[in-house]
Amino acid sequence: MATKNNAPLGIEAELFKAADKLRGNMEPSDYKHVVLGLIFLKHISDSFEAKHAELMAEYPGGAEDRDEYLADNIFWVPKEARWSHLQANAKQPTIGKIIDDAMLAIEKDNPSLKGVLPKDYARPALSAIMLGELIDLIANISTRTEKGQERDLFGRVYEYFLKEFAGSEGKRGGEFYTPRSVVKTMVEMLQPYKGRVYDPCCGSGGMFVQSESFVEAHGGRIGDIAIYGQESNHTTWRLCRMNLAVRGIDADIRWNSEGSFHKDEFPSLKADFILANPPFNVSDWGGDRLSDDPRWKYGVPPKGNANFAWLQHILYHLSPTGTAGVVLANGSMSSTQSGEGEIRKAMIEGEVIDCMIALPGQLFYSTQIPVCLWFLARDKSNGIARDKRLRDRRGEILFIDARKLGHMVDRTRREFSDEDIAKIADTYHRWREGEGYADIPGFCKAASLDEVRQHGHVLTPGRYVGVEAAEEDDTPFPERFAELQAELEEQFAEADRLTGVIRERLAGVVDG
């Protein structure tokens, strides 16, 4: 079994199918913590046991020395928490309590995991028989790969399970998971090769995992980037911490219930790269308490929508040569409600918008309507991406219309292939490096600020890229239908926006 976007996924898919069968009538939102917690436990236990065996062979005196494990970024796992102990007791009616005790023991011996691991396996709603079968199933993970590749496999299994659970949960799933092909597009665009990477609403950590993968794929070292993240949902924060730990990624991920706007955990951080998928169109973000905030350089965001608060929070945290990629609802490109048009205009005239990308519909679990990507730059006059100096891009914005890219992976969901991602990222790189870029009708256009002004500072790529040359349409009907549906949803959204503008103006007439 393979996909266009990944290596073969037979092991992960097979494991998920088997685990899902054991779920019974438990809600996916509850079950994911049961399964992912056990996968994490198996991973750290295997890592510990491998190091323990190595020390017993080479330096038996160090086998019980915790510092030997910490030096290799391996968690200390006490005897009662090791997988061998769990598996030996998998058929016991008290297995739930045994797992909870194991999680508590690991947190006690590893302060960095305090409050991260799930510890409610003994609750009556969880069947001891199901837990025993899950333990037997997860025990197979490390036996299915070559020696030395276990960490990569555990990371892939964890990510695959996150993706499948997000699909099962629908809209709620989108709150903790950004589809991999979207994340990969953003990472390939920004090329976070070295420096500080930040996500102010980091979900389960997919942006960080993909950033580390980019570094390794291009010959860098894990650790060349320093990772900072904040998350306001405690349950999602735990998923993120486990996701990064399974990958061996060291990161400073912080939680508080107030979130990045009201209790910024990194007030002085200036990041080289920011990647974010904030919640769309949040209306109750508490903006009325932040009207004099220094982050609002381009205008006070409306109290009823946080989109431009996120964009300005992110700009505030960019280093002098920093760049950012942000996922937002399409309305952010054209809305004039409650001063949003004026803020967008100020950002355009302030030369902080580098590139805008329109995405196709059905990429996300949480919404069927199309979304867009904003790419921001603190200083468009220069910069370095990996080993290449960037040209002065002031006076221009690149527009990419990617709505026709991607392929349907099932009846409801679309993904970008590696070729699609390369087409988008290469276009951006050629434009900002000044090497070999050319406008392509229907796909990309480097527009001058004068052109953007003529369009009323609206940033919808379709207004700029024009129409591609006509050709025979051999698109399969399901894909063509999905495209038309996405366009209709976009038109509905625009109609809603215009209705809001009319109501606002009518209210002004009445008040006057």
Side-chain angles (χ1 to χ4, degrees):
M1 177 180 178
T3 73
K4 293 185 184 181
N5 203 40
N6 304 314
L9 284 175
I11 297 172
E12 297 96 304
E14 196 179 307
L15 282 166
F16 184 82
K17 194 174 176 183
D20 199 44
K21 197 179 287 185
L22 295 174
R23 178 166 67 90
N25 58 6
M26 185 182 289
E27 286 294 325
S29 54
D30 293 329
Y31 188 59
K32 73 171 176 283
H33 300 293
V34 174
V35 179
L36 293 172
L38 287 173
I39 290 173
F40 179 78
L41 190 57
K42 176 74 164 77
H43 164 67
I44 64 170
S45 183
D46 281 8
S47 300
F48 176 88
E49 295 281 15
K51 182 67 179 176
H52 188 269
E54 181 189 307
L55 289 168
M56 287 299 287
E58 298 173 5
Y59 172 44
E64 298 302 318
D65 182 352
R66 298 181 189 210
D67 290 341
E68 292 287 341
Y69 298 87
L70 285 173
D72 280 354
N73 202 21
I74 292 169
F75 293 106
W76 174 266
V77 183
K79 286 181 181 176
E80 69 272 23
R82 292 172 197 172
W83 194 261
S84 52
H85 176 68
L86 294 189
Q87 204 161 4
N89 289 280
K91 301 297 183 275
Q92 296 296 322
T94 55
I95 185 59
K97 172 106 174 34
I98 292 167
I99 297 170
D100 284 344
D101 290 345
M103 297 291 191
L104 284 164
I106 289 167
E107 285 195 359
K108 183 181 176 185
D109 284 342
N110 299 275
S112 68
L113 291 177
K114 185 172 174 56
V116 171
L117 307 183
K119 297 174 285 291
D120 52 0
Y121 288 86
R123 67 185 190 270
L126 280 185
S127 156
I129 294 171
M130 180 266 282
L131 287 175
E133 290 178 347
L134 259 182
I135 287 170
D136 289 341
L137 176 68
I138 291 167
N140 292 322
I141 297 178
S142 53
T143 64
R144 305 283 296 277
T145 190
E146 295 174 29
K147 191 160 179 60
Q149 299 298 309
E150 295 90 345
R151 171 170 279 168
D152 180 57
L153 177 58
F154 271 101
R156 280 167 40 210
V157 166
Y158 196 95
E159 182 183 10
Y160 188 80
F161 274 50
L162 273 175
K163 177 183 75 137
E164 293 299 315
F165 281 127
S168 301
E169 291 184 49
K171 185 168 184 179
R172 285 178 62 192
E175 293 171 9
F176 65 83
Y177 183 80
T178 305
R180 186 175 183 272
S181 71
V182 176
V183 177
K184 191 172 182 186
T185 301
M186 296 168 73
V187 168
E188 291 291 333
M189 292 273 289
L190 291 182
Q191 300 177 302
Y193 195 63
K194 195 173 282 189
R196 296 175 297 278
V197 177
Y198 170 56
D199 184 344
C201 42
C202 62
S204 56
M207 301 286 187
F208 303 138
V209 169
Q210 200 60 50
S211 295
E212 287 278 13
S213 297
F214 176 87
V215 170
E216 292 183 314
H218 292 82
R221 291 171 301 128
I222 200 165
D224 279 353
I225 57 176
I227 289 171
Y228 304 88
Q230 182 166 342
E231 174 55 47
S232 60
N233 183 304
H234 191 260
T235 304
T236 304
W237 171 79
R238 286 163 49 193
L239 287 177
C240 178
R241 291 288 306 277
M242 287 192 283
N243 191 16
L244 299 181
V246 162
R247 300 274 186 169
I249 296 173
D250 192 25
D252 187 352
I253 309 297
R254 302 185 190 179
W255 166 82
N256 70 61
S257 60
E258 294 177 59
S260 292
F261 293 141
H262 295 279
K263 192 175 179 185
D264 189 349
E265 291 285 345
F266 304 99
S268 60
L269 173 68
K270 298 299 179 185
D272 301 295
F273 306 98
I274 300 179
L275 297 133
N277 175 18
F280 298 159
N281 301 323
V282 173
S283 58
D284 55 349
W285 64 283
D288 51 335
R289 290 179 279 139
L290 295 170
S291 53
D292 297 324
D293 198 284
R295 288 171 290 186
W296 314 149
K297 180 178 177 182
Y298 299 95
V300 178
K303 292 165 188 161
N305 193 316
N307 289 344
F308 283 88
W310 283 116
L311 287 170
Q312 293 189 86
H313 174 86
I314 285 162
L315 279 165
Y316 179 83
H317 278 290
L318 280 179
S319 70
T321 57
T323 52
V326 189
V327 184
L328 280 180
N330 267 7
S332 61
M333 300 190 287
S334 58
S335 169
T336 56
Q337 285 183 267
S338 307
E340 288 183 329
E342 290 303 311
I343 299 173
R344 188 173 56 251
K345 176 182 176 181
M347 290 173 65
I348 292 166
E349 298 295 343
E351 295 280 14
V352 293
I353 300 170
D354 215 23
C355 175
M356 297 296 301
I357 300 179
L359 296 178
Q362 299 180 285
L363 283 173
F364 286 78
Y365 295 102
S366 52
T367 177
Q368 293 299 309
I369 65 168
V371 300
C372 60
L373 299 179
W374 291 62
F375 287 89
L376 311 175
R378 173 52 76 83
D379 182 0
K380 287 168 67 174
S381 70
N382 63 21
I384 293 175
R386 295 188 65 200
D387 54 348
K388 295 197 174 176
R389 182 163 289 282
L390 306 182
R391 70 181 181 87
D392 187 340
R393 287 111 52 217
R394 286 175 295 182
E396 277 183 38
I397 296 174
L398 177 65
F399 292 92
I400 296 175
D401 190 343
R403 288 178 298 170
K404 292 186 178 172
L405 299 185
H407 58 279
M408 300 301 289
V409 291
D410 56 39
R411 194 173 52 81
T412 60
R413 204 168 49 80
R414 179 182 293 268
E415 275 184 6
F416 284 146
S417 67
D418 286 343
E419 292 74 23
D420 293 330
I421 294 168
K423 181 178 181 179
I424 295 168
D426 290 349
T427 298
Y428 179 55
H429 297 157
R430 284 195 292 268
W431 173 76
R432 71 177 185 170
E433 291 162 15
E435 295 178 7
Y437 171 81
D439 292 341
I440 301 172
F443 178 65
C444 63
K445 162 80 173 176
S448 69
L449 282 195
D450 278 341
E451 289 175 86
V452 177
R453 290 176 189 126
Q454 287 165 22
H455 284 283
H457 296 91
V458 167
L459 294 175
T460 308
R463 292 198 177 203
Y464 300 92
V465 301
V467 181
E468 65 183 321
E471 58 182 56
E472 197 67 33
D473 189 355
D474 58 355
T475 308
F477 175 73
E479 288 197 30
R480 183 68 188 131
F481 182 77
E483 282 176 18
L484 291 169
Q485 188 179 21
E487 286 178 26
L488 186 61
E489 292 284 1
E490 197 170 342
Q491 286 161 3
F492 283 152
E494 178 68 3
D496 288 345
R497 182 186 72 78
L498 290 171
T499 302
V501 171
I502 292 165
R503 283 188 173 137
E504 210 172 272
R505 290 185 180 166
L506 285 172
V509 170
V510 172
D511 293 342

